[in-house]
Amino acid sequence: MIDDPNADGDLGSLQRFFLVFLSLFLVVSLLFFRSGFKTNAVLDQLAKNSLEPDIALSNGKPTVFEFYADWCEACKEMAPDMVDFKTQNANKIDIVLLNVDNSRWVDLIDKYDVNGIPKLTFFDDKGEYKGYSLGVRKYTELNEIFLALINNSQLPSFTKLSNSSNLNSKNKSKQLNNNIRSEGPRNHS
């Protein structure tokens, strides 16, 4: 072993600073990834417990299709509220999650003109289209929507802006939408 008169076995201040910085970076990274995975787990749970769309539309309950993607931050933000509503209203309404990145749902994405997410598409207990909402909806807004569907009454209209992810953009930029639209089946304007 070669003896170095300057090596005293202690870490230098620069090395200590680097180790502290590295430790903090690892802790913050773990916390960030942990909550990101948890939110994806909520979306996965909802999607795995969803009925097939044709079954949901024909079982005599109002139905909500939620078009979403795993990468969509707005979808992740709304996921816990959707789980709550699905749990609270399991016998009254069906919530069907449809991942826009899954080619299996391309026909429904085209049929309901999904160009941003999260997009909620509403159907009455006969499976007839009632309207849609584009963007994040808060718990109180979702409650009004679900009550209107369950009670077969008119869907509420909101003037507050909500975030959504645009599917047509290569960089998945944010856009804003401000209300629920209720349309007849032949209204394409």
Side-chain angles (χ1 to χ4, degrees):
M1 181 169 183
I2 300 176
D3 290 331
D4 184 357
N6 293 332
D8 57 1
D10 290 333
L11 294 175
S13 61
L14 184 59
Q15 290 172 321
R16 277 187 243 138
F17 174 77
F18 176 75
L19 287 174
V20 168
F21 176 77
L22 181 62
S23 299
L24 289 174
F25 175 76
L26 289 173
V27 167
V28 169
S29 296
L30 287 172
L31 289 174
F32 174 76
F33 285 122
R34 181 176 177 221
S35 58
F37 292 139
K38 181 179 179 185
T39 313
N40 279 349
V42 172
L43 284 171
D44 289 342
Q45 172 193 358
L46 272 171
K48 287 178 183 171
N49 293 329
S50 291
L51 291 175
E52 290 292 318
D54 55 339
I55 294 171
L57 291 174
S58 64
N59 69 2
K61 294 184 204 174
T63 300
V64 176
F65 287 176
E66 180 182 353
F67 294 93
Y68 79 101
D70 293 331
W71 49 262
C72 172
E73 293 301 318
C75 301
K76 292 177 188 178
E77 179 182 336
M78 202 166 65
D81 291 340
M82 293 299 284
V83 168
D84 287 347
F85 279 106
K86 186 167 185 161
T87 303
Q88 293 170 8
N89 299 295
N91 296 326
K92 299 175 188 170
I93 196 165
D94 289 320
I95 300 172
V96 178
L97 263 70
L98 304 165
N99 191 331
V100 296
D101 292 329
N102 186 336
S103 60
R104 178 179 179 196
W105 308 123
V106 170
D107 59 333
L108 293 175
I109 291 167
D110 290 341
K111 181 176 183 176
Y112 298 110
D113 193 30
V114 178
N115 56 14
I117 52 175
K119 182 171 184 175
L120 303 176
T121 307
F122 310 114
F123 304 89
D124 65 13
D125 57 354
K126 296 173 188 77
E128 294 177 15
Y129 178 79
K130 300 301 283 181
Y132 72 91
S133 171
L134 181 62
V136 175
R137 291 290 163 205
K138 300 297 179 201
Y139 187 87
T140 54
E141 295 169 329
L142 289 171
N143 190 46
E144 287 181 52
I145 294 166
F146 280 52
L147 285 174
L149 287 169
I150 291 167
N151 295 322
N152 199 25
S153 58
Q154 184 175 350
L155 291 172
S157 180
F158 301 107
T159 57
K160 183 180 174 189
L161 297 176
S162 62
N163 289 331
S164 66
S165 295
N166 186 351
L167 295 181
N168 295 331
S169 173
K170 290 186 185 224
N171 63 3
K172 298 181 177 97
S173 65
K174 298 283 182 180
Q175 71 178 21
L176 296 174
N177 184 286
N178 66 351
N179 65 4
I180 291 181
R181 296 202 166 104
S182 184
E183 301 175 347
R186 298 195 186 276
N187 183 352
H188 298 288
S189 57

